Amino acid sequence: MTETAKQTRSVVKERELAHPPDKVWRALTEKHLIEDWLMQNDFRPTVGHSFELEAEWGKVTCEVVAVEPHKTLAYTWQAHGLESVVTWTLSKSETGTRLRMEQTGFGKEQEQAYRGATAGWNRFLDRLETVVAELD
């Protein structure tokens, strides 16, 4: 395999949320909240925990690979031939939290998955913002 063939792309989304990192963290890590903005799941914020995200279009097989409470969460994301990693980074900001999501691992042959993720994460993040705003 050549270097060009090994190159992958990433989808990166960033949002400024008017809420503290602990509220955003809850939405990223609590099963019932994840279901409100992403998909049905059996998630636990424990490194090595394997879980599935389930939607009407199918399942995503995942494994938690990094947890630093209120700062970083990362898990693998495998579905329909895509083997990627989703990393969430939270930074405290003057107005609340700067949230960054990066999904890495899109090969050149995975244009449909790349485009789907580019559009799909915008919708998921819109719903995440709504969930966070409704938390106590």
Side-chain angles (χ1 to χ4, degrees):
M1 185 176 289
T2 66
E3 282 302 314
T4 301
K6 292 180 192 175
Q7 291 179 350
T8 60
R9 295 182 288 175
S10 299
V11 173
V12 176
K13 302 291 179 180
E14 295 183 332
R15 297 274 175 109
E16 183 70 33
L17 303 176
H19 305 283
D22 62 315
K23 285 180 75 172
V24 178
W25 183 257
R26 286 181 56 201
L28 292 174
T29 59
E30 292 184 17
K31 178 184 179 298
H32 70 286
L33 297 176
I34 296 169
E35 290 175 358
D36 288 344
W37 66 269
L38 185 61
M39 293 179 225
Q40 298 292 313
N41 68 90
D42 56 346
F43 179 84
R44 286 194 327 254
T46 303
V47 172
H49 174 65
S50 295
F51 65 101
E52 289 185 337
L53 299 168
E54 187 170 350
E56 62 276 355
W57 50 264
K59 291 183 180 180
V60 181
T61 301
C62 306
E63 181 178 330
V64 178
V65 294
V67 176
E68 185 176 355
H70 309 284
K71 294 183 178 177
T72 304
L73 171 67
Y75 43 82
T76 61
W77 179 287
Q78 299 177 358
H80 307 290
L82 173 65
E83 294 188 13
S84 63
V85 175
V86 174
T87 302
W88 297 94
T89 306
L90 293 75
S91 305
K92 188 173 182 176
S93 67
E94 288 184 20
T95 59
T97 304
R98 181 170 299 111
L99 179 64
R100 182 177 196 274
M101 187 290 307
E102 180 174 9
Q103 184 174 15
T104 61
F106 295 92
K108 292 198 176 293
E109 72 285 1
Q110 295 170 315
E111 185 65 26
Q112 183 177 3
Y114 178 78
R115 288 183 184 195
T118 299
W121 282 114
N122 287 330
R123 290 190 300 274
F124 290 139
L125 287 169
D126 288 346
R127 294 198 308 237
L128 173 70
E129 284 190 61
T130 300
V131 168
V132 172
E134 294 173 350
L135 293 175
D136 293 329

